[in-house]
Amino acid sequence: MSLDHATTIGSAFIIGLALLSGLLMLLRLREVFQEKPDPKTTYATLVELDKLRAQVFQHQRDTKADFAAVHALIYKNAEHLARLIATTESANQRLHELAIKTDKLLAKHGHIHEPV
């Protein structure tokens, strides 16, 4: 091997080694700045996003309908409770009046003394 030939091979070897080192540095830089985790596995597609949006809107509509039904039921129960309270008060009043009349009748017939 001549000295000229050895110098050329050495230069080619050093250039090749420099190119491989540069490539390795580029690959490491790419790895450092690469998004982790892989976007293909973490992001939703537009079709999946549209499906999710449709489901959310459907759940909102269902919830509004349920709230309207609950509101109507609460209103109806309040009306029934008001009627029940009024009926109970009326029955208590009648019962009280009947007790007074009964006491008067018993007192009139001498069974008990009239209350003071």
Side-chain angles (χ1 to χ4, degrees):
M1 227 200 249
S2 71
L3 192 56
D4 230 5
H5 200 39
T7 305
T8 308
I9 290 177
S11 297
F13 181 72
I14 290 176
I15 291 172
L17 189 59
L19 287 174
L20 286 175
S21 296
L23 179 63
L24 181 62
M25 288 179 76
L26 282 175
L27 289 175
R28 285 190 179 170
L29 280 174
R30 180 177 163 223
E31 184 179 327
V32 167
F33 291 109
Q34 185 178 14
E35 191 171 348
K36 293 175 184 157
D38 184 21
K40 293 175 191 167
T41 60
T42 56
Y43 295 131
T45 63
L46 289 177
V47 172
E48 292 170 336
L49 185 62
D50 288 339
K51 286 180 184 177
L52 180 63
R53 186 177 291 122
Q55 288 175 351
V56 168
F57 287 146
Q58 183 62 40
H59 287 303
Q60 285 177 339
R61 284 190 296 271
D62 293 345
T63 303
K64 285 180 183 178
D66 289 343
F67 279 140
V70 167
H71 183 266
L73 185 61
I74 289 171
Y75 183 76
K76 187 183 282 187
N77 283 343
E79 285 180 341
H80 290 161
L81 283 173
R83 285 187 198 139
L84 182 62
I85 289 170
T87 303
T88 304
E89 288 176 356
S90 174
N92 282 338
Q93 180 65 29
R94 287 182 180 176
L95 185 61
H96 181 68
E97 290 171 0
L98 181 63
I100 291 173
K101 288 179 182 177
T102 305
D103 287 344
K104 284 182 181 179
L105 282 174
L106 288 174
K108 186 178 183 181
H109 291 304
H111 295 291
I112 62 168
H113 296 291
E114 191 165 326
V116 180

